[in-house]
Amino acid sequence: MSAAVREPQGPGEGVSAQGPDGAAEPHVARNYAPLEVTIARGEGAWVTDVEGKRYLDLLAAYSAVNFGHRHPALVAALEEQLGRVALTSRAFRSDRLEPFAAALAELCGKDLVLPMNTGAEAVETGIKVARAWGYRVKGVRPDAARIVVAHGNFHGRTTTIVGFSDDESARDDFGPFTPGFDAVPYGDAEAIAAAITDDTVAVLIEPIQGEGGVIIPPDGYLRRIREICTERNVLFVADEIQSGLGRVGETFACDREGVVPDLYLLGKALGGGILPVSAVVGNEDVLGVIRPGEHGSTFGGNPLAAAVGLRAVEMLASGEFQERAKALGEHLRAGLEAFLGHGVTAVRVAGLWAGVDIDPDRGTGREIAERLLDRGVLVKDTHGQTIRIAPPIVVRATELDWALEQLRLVLDR
Ligand SMILES: *Cc1c(COP(=O)(O)O)cnc(C)c1O
């Protein structure tokens, strides 16, 4: 145990206790394979490891850190609330939940907010709401409700959700799975129309597939889904957990096509990069179907979460983060497109969010991420050859330029 608190002795030392098999975290279950860095501090777009080396964070905890690490306004909201009350449960009202819900509903242009904690819980909640709406409002036969989803989706890690994933490592050995989902190719709205039956209650889609590698659907896809759902009396449920709250240069990725879904599923940045805060947001005619006792969470909507979530929503309400993501995103796009044919085979950019496909000649996505790590840049690979870039929106253009120069150096190596 003493190895964990020993002073760093030299390169590679001081990371943490080494287990018998050489693992840096011998007591942590191995459901992740993190890059070789142990972060001790973070501020804005930067983090510092246990040896004092600084890294520019181009992952931002998968968009949970859109506002940067420890944004002073969010930390102030947290500390102020910590001095009052942290947790009440929903058995009683707290004076923080309604202000948070009112602000978030207004940001979304909706009536009601159902607060939860993690993204996966927001998705599960959306599924339950859609099914209840199907039986109680649409009149679907008991236990027959179906939901259309897309191939390549990522909606979280619960057993129901991984059951309609097509990522084998997410599914294998975790069955049996919840029935009631029909998967169609992503980006093909007519495939959705063809999959809808009288029993279909919802279309659940990521407006941009983040884990899939920042896959941007063809223009008009979301508009067409909106039309189909309206025509066929099916709910349009948009998982904006990663794409929403400023990342794409708009409040929501659905705004890129001027589309309003029936339910927004939100998470990640809703907690300001400080706490897990998620929510389902919709109108009375849909979200109003849930009655007392039918759904809940001990921590969902707790006063700390509501205080931080309210501040995050207030920061988005000004539009400044969306504007900044849009402007920096154009800068990032120009920088990345210059790599096309020079170690990069494809670039997909939406706001300050990019999927970059690495030419296999230059290494795998993981190898590029490891080389960038050595040069002080944190990114995450996905699906073998892709690296995903999602910096905190507080990043500066000059910092992006520096990171792009590091990418050039690791690609040219
Ligand atoms: C991250 C993510 C989730 C799951 O959120 P967790 O907080 O990890 O449970 C769901 N949907 C999308 C699109 C995500 O990116």
Side-chain angles (χ1 to χ4, degrees):
M1 282 296 106
S2 59
V5 292
R6 192 175 55 160
E7 286 296 306
Q9 312 272 301
E13 292 281 338
V15 173
S16 73
Q18 298 283 314
D21 58 355
E25 296 174 317
H27 302 99
V28 179
R30 291 173 297 279
N31 58 327
Y32 281 86
L35 293 179
E36 284 300 325
V37 58
T38 303
I39 294 167
R41 300 188 65 89
E43 184 175 7
W46 293 83
V47 297
T48 306
D49 74 6
V50 287
E51 292 165 9
K53 182 175 172 188
R54 296 178 79 224
Y55 301 82
L56 186 63
D57 180 2
L58 297 193
L59 179 63
Y62 311 93
S63 284
V65 184
N66 278 1
F67 303 104
H69 294 277
R70 296 189 301 117
H71 191 291
L74 292 159
V75 171
L78 178 83
E79 287 178 346
E80 208 235 314
Q81 189 57 39
L82 261 181
R84 303 212 269 151
V85 65
L87 185 60
T88 55
S89 86
R90 296 283 309 276
F92 317 107
R93 284 192 292 272
S94 86
D95 63 0
R96 293 291 83 202
L97 184 52
E98 172 58 23
F100 167 53
L104 181 56
E106 188 180 342
L107 186 78
C108 298
K110 298 286 189 190
D111 301 333
L112 296 175
V113 169
L114 200 167
M116 297 294 283
N117 309 282
T118 64
E121 287 174 304
V123 175
E124 290 276 354
T125 303
I127 291 167
K128 287 173 75 173
V129 169
R131 287 178 169 182
W133 172 86
Y135 300 125
R136 295 171 187 174
V137 179
K138 181 170 174 170
V140 170
R141 296 173 293 138
D143 282 342
R146 305 200 66 82
I147 295 175
V148 178
V149 298
H151 287 303
N153 70 71
F154 181 87
H155 296 288
R157 299 293 197 167
T158 64
T159 45
T160 287
I161 292 171
V162 300
F164 58 84
S165 162
D166 38 32
D167 177 353
E168 281 166 23
S169 66
R171 289 172 55 92
D172 281 3
D173 296 333
F174 299 130
F177 299 120
T178 310
F181 298 91
D182 299 301
V184 299
Y186 187 67
D188 180 353
E190 298 320 313
I192 292 175
I196 290 175
T197 70
D198 289 347
D199 293 330
T200 304
V201 297
V203 173
L204 167 62
I205 235 85
E206 296 157 88
I208 292 174
Q209 289 186 330
E211 298 302 304
V214 191
I215 307 298
I216 303 169
D219 196 36
Y221 179 60
L222 303 175
R223 271 196 306 278
R224 186 71 189 117
I225 294 177
R226 176 67 279 176
E227 284 169 7
I228 292 166
C229 287
T230 302
E231 277 166 21
R232 307 287 293 274
N233 194 25
V234 165
L235 300 179
F236 180 2
V237 182
D239 181 346
E240 293 260 17
I241 290 166
Q242 192 165 161
S243 59
L245 307 182
R247 172 56 56 194
V248 302
E250 308 278 354
T251 304
F252 301 109
C254 282
D255 295 338
R256 287 160 47 94
E257 295 194 17
V259 158
V260 179
D262 297 296
L263 293 175
Y264 288 106
L265 310 182
L266 304 176
K268 293 203 164 106
L270 191 57
I274 296 181
L275 294 170
V277 184
S278 71
V280 175
V281 187
N283 278 340
E284 183 67 47
D285 57 347
V286 178
L287 204 39
V289 299
I290 295 293
R291 301 180 287 233
E294 290 182 342
H295 187 58
S297 159
T298 304
F299 288 91
N302 71 75
L304 267 190
V308 172
L310 171 59
R311 186 60 54 88
V313 170
E314 287 169 350
M315 289 163 72
L316 287 165
S318 75
E320 77 184 277
F321 282 88
Q322 294 89 323
E323 285 303 310
R324 190 175 171 85
K326 190 176 280 181
L328 286 171
E330 285 314 311
H331 193 80
L332 179 67
R333 176 195 298 278
L336 286 173
E337 283 180 349
F339 289 113
L340 284 170
H342 304 279
V344 166
T345 57
V347 171
R348 297 171 295 278
V349 186
L352 193 53
W353 200 20
V356 180
D357 294 348
I358 304 297
D359 187 333
D361 287 356
R362 312 294 174 104
T364 62
R366 173 81 183 195
E367 286 162 350
I368 296 298
E370 286 168 353
R371 287 184 223 154
L372 282 170
L373 176 74
D374 289 341
R375 294 188 160 274
V377 178
L378 300 185
V379 298
K380 173 79 170 75
D381 57 295
T382 182
H383 293 275
Q385 285 309 124
T386 302
I387 57 171
R388 177 177 22 182
I389 298 181
I393 298 169
V394 295
V395 74
R396 294 191 180 93
T398 50
E399 293 168 333
L400 285 179
D401 290 341
W402 174 80
L404 289 166
E405 175 61 10
Q406 306 315 303
L407 178 59
R408 190 184 68 74
L409 292 168
V410 307
L411 287 171
D412 285 353
R413 195 190 74 149

